[in-house]
Amino acid sequence: RLSERPFAALGVSCGCERVAAALPAFLAAARSLAEPAKPAIIVGGAVFALNPALACEIGADFAAVEPESARRISGALLERQHL
């Protein structure tokens, strides 16, 4: 449950446009549950591999277009958090 513990980042994978249409509301709810923290939201999956700009449109902070980029982004976020 998102509201039980603070979190620095949230990763969401999405494989189809129909599900992507529901992500703006989901991401907004996740952010409100995380307050006062401001977690980074990373999205990935087939939808974002085809259209990385969609990440900004739905309110995400980063698009990971392949698994390796998700690992790099989350690693960099964790490093920055510990500085």
Side-chain angles (χ1 to χ4, degrees):
R1 296 194 171 134
L2 294 176
S3 62
E4 291 178 1
R5 293 185 359 188
F7 54 98
L10 174 67
V12 178
S13 181
C14 182
C16 69
E17 289 181 16
R18 181 179 54 82
V19 173
L23 285 178
F26 173 78
L27 298 181
R31 285 191 195 275
S32 78
L33 287 172
E35 289 179 350
K38 304 259 188 253
I41 296 180
I42 307 164
V43 292
V47 171
F48 300 102
L50 294 172
N51 183 6
L54 182 59
C56 289
E57 294 174 25
I58 65 163
D61 299 304
F62 302 96
V65 296
E66 80 281 328
E68 180 59 25
S69 64
R71 189 197 65 74
R72 280 193 314 271
I73 292 166
S74 58
L77 289 169
L78 288 173
E79 258 184 50
R80 186 175 65 185
Q81 184 182 26
H82 289 101
L83 291 178

